Amino acid sequence: MAKRRMTQEELEQDPFVDSMEKVQVFYEEYKNSVIGGAIALLLIIGGGIGYYYYSQSQERQAQQLMGQAETVFLQGNYQNALKGSDEDFTVGFEQIINNYGGTDAANLARYYAAVCEYNLGNTEAALQYMNEYEVPEGILGVSTLSFKGVLHTELGQHEQAAQTYAQASEWDVNDSTTPYNQLEAANAYHDAGNTAQAREYASNVVNDYPNSPQVPEAKRLLGILTAASAQTQ
């Protein structure tokens, strides 16, 4: 059977044809805007792809330089590890941070720089680097937080030290690092004059981790706190 052709009237009433006509009218009216928007979208996509490859290149370069700086660091030459050496043609952690700031390597360099500054006797500079350091998740972040607690303690910032140790104790809960950091938090709170928090963290060590090597020290601190409380009554 022959296929029936649509009349002109039926074509005009067809919703698909009507929609296409509206699109055509819209395009003719806003042609420059449509083309401009398409170009802008292409530029955004192209820029994103370009940035991805650029960031990957930056990361590779930073990682290579980190290997050199880490070698010097492991030799105990903290000054050259931090600043680099023109004589040895080595780059230090500072240059990596300044030139590759957005990379994972630069973030790790901040931690190394903090350790270098600490070993060079510059505790405040070390703490500044640690404040800029992004702590990794899980067990890898625990020791870095503990180190930051040490810096606060050496600067006499006992309340901040206690809070940092408490954070470290909860960063990755386990039978090794958690009781250690809880005890450090208890000692720091004690030094800050916050006896209630000191007692709480020391008690946590005794009650929650009875087999940990920190228990004797935690019990000793609890005895000191109890004696001090009795004297004030």
Side-chain angles (χ1 to χ4, degrees):
M1 183 175 67
K3 185 175 181 180
R4 189 177 72 86
R5 295 173 61 87
M6 295 180 70
T7 65
Q8 183 64 30
E9 182 180 357
E10 289 174 327
L11 280 171
E12 291 175 353
Q13 294 176 353
D14 186 72
F16 176 76
V17 173
D18 182 59
S19 297
M20 290 302 296
E21 288 178 349
K22 289 179 180 178
V23 170
Q24 183 67 24
V25 171
F26 176 84
Y27 175 77
E28 291 296 334
E29 186 174 351
Y30 298 101
K31 178 167 60 177
N32 292 337
S33 297
V34 170
I35 294 173
I39 292 173
L41 180 60
L42 288 173
L43 288 173
I44 292 171
I45 294 173
I49 294 172
Y51 177 77
Y52 170 79
Y53 284 108
Y54 170 77
S55 62
Q56 292 296 307
S57 174
Q58 290 285 94
E59 188 69 59
R60 285 193 297 271
Q61 293 176 29
Q63 290 288 355
Q64 290 175 356
L65 295 174
M66 277 292 291
Q68 298 175 15
E70 287 173 345
T71 298
V72 179
F73 175 87
L74 293 173
Q75 293 170 352
N77 191 339
Y78 301 113
Q79 182 67 30
N80 285 356
L82 180 65
K83 302 287 187 180
S85 170
D86 292 335
E87 294 180 359
D88 299 328
F89 300 102
T90 59
V91 171
F93 297 120
E94 278 190 356
Q95 290 97 325
I96 296 172
I97 294 167
N98 293 334
N99 296 321
Y100 302 91
T103 63
D104 292 337
N107 185 56
L108 180 59
R110 292 184 182 96
Y111 175 69
Y112 275 113
V115 177
C116 287
E117 291 283 21
Y118 176 72
N119 282 287
L120 293 170
N122 306 320
T123 307
E124 290 186 359
L127 182 58
Q128 183 174 346
Y129 276 120
M130 287 305 297
N131 286 335
E132 298 169 354
Y133 173 67
E134 185 177 342
V135 180
E137 296 180 359
I139 190 66
L140 293 176
V142 176
S143 62
T144 62
L145 284 170
S146 299
F147 174 59
K148 189 176 180 181
V150 170
L151 299 178
H152 280 302
T153 299
E154 295 213 356
L155 292 171
Q157 301 167 353
H158 300 297
E159 189 75 22
Q160 294 94 319
Q163 293 170 0
T164 305
Y165 281 124
Q167 184 184 17
S169 73
E170 299 170 359
W171 199 258
D172 184 89
V173 178
N174 57 75
D175 293 338
S176 178
T177 63
T178 298
Y180 169 81
N181 283 296
Q182 285 187 339
L183 177 60
E184 292 300 317
N187 285 323
Y189 274 125
H190 180 226
D191 292 336
N194 191 335
T195 56
Q197 287 291 82
R199 182 177 288 106
E200 177 181 342
Y201 278 93
S203 297
N204 287 344
V205 174
V206 174
N207 297 328
D208 298 340
Y209 301 93
N211 297 321
S212 71
Q214 286 76 32
V215 168
E217 177 64 19
K219 288 182 176 179
R220 187 188 71 82
L221 178 58
L222 286 171
I224 293 173
L225 294 171
T226 299
S229 178
Q231 290 178 356
T232 58
Q233 292 179 353

